[in-house]
């Protein structure tokens, strides 16, 4: 009897405990249901407006920076370097002496030729004086004149050979790194130093033949390079090749750029925008306002529902060219519409939103 009483008491106690637990859980479920039934607070968003801008249409290409004049200076005749008159990186003018080769033998040869020419000159003058007196024949006169002309030609030849022992700058420009040393023997055609004319400078690139009708001399170009990513170099198309490559079906274009600060160097990889002589009105948005997706790009447009609340509408758009952080919208959006500019990943279609006040935004930042 005592055991049965204890068993009943245990059952009652267990029922009270389980009842309390079930009651507590039931109350929690009720609270959760009540919370879920309440509308979610609006998401705080930043917005921007789609604007209409005048964009000059352009054709994008890649190319290479080329010097107007650029060579590796070399010697025409062999010899030993006597003097070096420049340092690596110097700016030079046309005709400046770069190096002088030892020319002792050539100077001696020139003196010999001049002596021969002087003797031939004296013989020619003497025979010229005797010819009117019939003291010499016409043949002797002709021979003396030919000898004199040949002697003068040999002087000029020796002088030209001597001049080749002095290597000069062929044009105005900037020198590269010196590749020779004092006293070094230079065979014919040895590279001495690079010299490039840096201002103005060319950019060469190719365009598909389909763009040939949209490019002409004088069209504006804008060039950027990796070395100076934040700066644009402006110029104009100066030449278009007269033929199209049959292998690639492209045409070579050359533009001339101003390079006062010498920031552009030959061989640089360049990105080129070839402008068109007209403006197009396009609808643009900041790039941050667009969600780029494999299945299509979209934006969230801010609208009002029937209750007057602000909600977001997901809308697919077709994007175009990108300039200075803004993207052109070719389809799906009208100018003046309000679009979410940040926090797109937290939103869903139809969600209520609240536009963040600019003063609050600045305070939070």
């Amino acid at each position: 009897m005592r055991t049965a009483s204890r068993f009943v008491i245990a059952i009652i106690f267990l029922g009270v405990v389980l009842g309390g637990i079930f009651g507590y859980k039931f109350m929690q479920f009720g609270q959760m249901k009540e919370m879920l039934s309440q509308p979610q607070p609006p998401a705080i968003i930043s917005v921007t407006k789609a604007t209409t801008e005048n964009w000059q249409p352009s054709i994008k290409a890649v190319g290479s920076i080329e010097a107007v004049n650029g060579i590796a200076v070399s010697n025409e005749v062999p010899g030993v370097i006597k003097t070096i008159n420049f340092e690596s990186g110097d700016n030079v003018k046309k005709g400046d002496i770069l190096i002088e080769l030892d020319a002792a033998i050539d100077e001696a040869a020139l003196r010999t030729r001049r002596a021969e020419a002087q003797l031939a000159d004296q013989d020619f003058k003497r025979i010229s004086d005797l010819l009117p007196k019939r003291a010499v024949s016409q043949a002797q006169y002709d021979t003396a004149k030919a000898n004199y002309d040949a002697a003068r030609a040999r002087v000029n030849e020796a002088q030209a050979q001597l001049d080749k022992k002095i290597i000069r700058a062929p044009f105005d420009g900037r020198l590269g790194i010196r590749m020779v040393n004092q006293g070094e023997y230079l065979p014919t055609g040895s590279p001495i130093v690079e010299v490039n004319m840096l201002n103005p400078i060319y950019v060469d690139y190719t365009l598909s033949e389909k763009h040939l009708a949209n490019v002409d001399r004088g069209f504006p170009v804008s060039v950027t390079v990796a070395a100076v990513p934040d700066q644009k170099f402006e110029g104009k198309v100066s030449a278009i090749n007269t033929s199209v490559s049959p292998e690639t079906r492209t045409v070579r274009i050359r533009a001339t750029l101003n390079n006062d600060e010498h920031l552009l160097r030959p061989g640089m990889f360049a990105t080129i925008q070839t402008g068109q002589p007209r403006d197009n009105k396009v609808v643009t948005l900041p790039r941050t306002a667009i969600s780029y997706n494999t299945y299509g790009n979209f934006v969230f447009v801010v609208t009002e529902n029937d209750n007057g609340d602000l909600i977001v509408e997901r809308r697919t758009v077709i994007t175009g060219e990108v300039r200075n952080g803004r993207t052109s919208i070719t389809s799906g959006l009208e100018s003046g519409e309000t679009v979410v500019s940040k926090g797109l990943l937290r939103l869903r279609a139809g969600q209520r939103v609240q536009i963040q006040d600019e003063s609050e935004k600045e305070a939070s930042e």
Side-chain angles (χ1 to χ4, degrees):
M1 189 67 181
R2 184 180 297 176
T3 302
S5 299
R6 291 178 179 177
F7 181 74
V8 171
I9 293 172
I11 293 296
I12 294 173
F13 177 76
L14 183 61
V16 171
V17 172
L18 292 177
I21 294 175
F22 290 145
Y24 178 72
K25 289 296 182 181
F26 182 78
M27 183 179 65
Q28 282 188 324
F29 288 145
Q31 292 176 346
M32 290 177 60
K33 184 177 180 181
E34 184 179 355
M35 290 176 60
L36 292 176
S37 64
Q38 295 179 356
Q40 291 186 354
I44 307 299
I45 60 170
S46 297
V47 297
T48 186
K49 285 187 177 294
T51 59
T52 300
E53 298 184 24
N54 287 328
W55 280 13
Q56 186 181 57
S58 62
I59 305 170
K60 188 175 181 179
V62 294
S64 181
I65 303 296
E66 301 288 345
V68 173
N69 287 310
I71 63 168
V73 179
S74 60
N75 54 314
E76 293 186 58
V77 295
V80 176
I81 296 178
K82 180 180 178 181
T83 58
I84 298 177
N85 300 315
F86 71 92
E87 294 295 336
S88 301
D90 283 352
N91 291 316
V92 294
K93 297 290 185 181
K94 180 179 180 179
D96 288 352
I97 296 176
L98 301 180
I99 67 170
E100 298 180 48
L101 302 179
D102 182 63
I105 296 176
D106 299 277
E107 290 172 351
L110 178 60
R111 289 194 294 270
T112 300
R113 297 306 184 190
R114 284 175 175 169
E116 293 173 351
Q118 185 177 3
L119 178 60
D121 181 40
Q122 293 173 352
D123 289 343
F124 177 61
K125 287 181 178 179
R126 184 168 51 250
I127 291 176
S128 297
D129 293 339
L130 294 175
L131 182 62
K133 302 176 183 179
R134 305 285 182 175
V136 294
S137 65
Q138 182 67 39
Q140 289 175 308
Y141 173 82
D142 292 341
T143 301
K145 186 177 186 305
N147 290 337
Y148 173 61
D149 291 340
R152 286 195 306 172
R154 286 192 292 272
V155 170
N156 293 335
E157 179 184 8
Q159 183 65 58
Q161 189 72 11
L162 180 61
D163 291 342
K164 290 182 179 180
K165 291 298 179 76
I166 300 177
I167 292 87
R168 301 176 182 271
F171 45 80
D172 297 353
R174 176 174 290 184
L175 301 178
I177 297 176
R178 176 164 57 90
M179 294 180 280
V180 295
N181 297 299
Q182 184 77 35
E184 182 179 351
Y185 174 78
L186 297 183
T188 301
S190 299
I192 297 169
V193 65
E194 283 189 357
V195 57
N196 287 291
M197 182 184 292
L198 298 180
N199 187 40
I201 203 164
Y202 291 146
V203 59
D204 288 354
Y205 58 102
T206 58
L207 292 178
S208 172
E209 62 179 343
K210 68 181 180 181
H211 296 304
L212 188 55
N214 300 322
V215 180
D216 202 355
R217 292 182 61 183
F219 278 26
V221 298
S222 178
V223 175
T224 56
V225 295
V228 198
D230 298 329
Q231 184 167 345
K232 289 186 177 181
F233 299 88
E234 307 295 334
K236 292 183 178 181
V237 174
S238 54
I240 301 174
N241 211 4
T242 54
S243 62
V244 174
S245 170
E247 291 81 14
T248 60
R249 305 302 177 189
T250 58
V251 62
R252 186 178 179 184
I253 311 292
R254 169 168 287 177
T256 304
L257 309 173
N258 185 32
N259 191 30
D260 289 335
E261 299 179 6
H262 294 176
L263 297 176
L264 299 177
R265 299 296 179 88
M268 281 184 171
F269 179 83
T271 302
I272 305 101
Q273 295 279 1
T274 305
Q276 308 291 295
R278 66 181 189 277
D279 289 340
N280 279 351
K281 290 186 176 181
V282 293
V283 177
T284 69
L285 281 177
R287 294 191 66 179
T288 56
I290 304 169
S291 179
Y292 296 91
N293 194 287
T294 307
Y295 304 102
N297 305 328
F298 65 88
V299 298
F300 282 108
V301 180
V302 179
T303 62
E304 288 188 2
N305 60 13
D306 296 337
N307 298 326
D309 297 326
L310 293 179
I311 62 171
V312 288
E313 170 194 341
R314 175 169 167 162
R315 190 181 300 176
T316 301
V317 294
I318 299 177
T319 58
E321 188 179 354
V322 178
R323 293 187 187 180
N324 301 323
R326 296 189 69 87
T327 303
S328 63
I329 308 297
T330 60
S331 177
L333 195 66
E334 297 293 334
S335 178
E337 291 192 273
T338 303
V339 177
V340 178
S341 59
K342 294 180 180 179
L344 280 68
L345 297 178
R346 303 193 306 266
L347 300 178
R348 67 179 186 276
Q351 183 177 354
R352 290 194 309 134
V353 293
Q354 179 181 340
I355 298 175
Q356 183 178 17
D357 185 70
E358 290 297 328
S359 59
E360 294 179 0
K361 181 180 178 181
E362 292 175 1
S364 63
E365 292 176 352

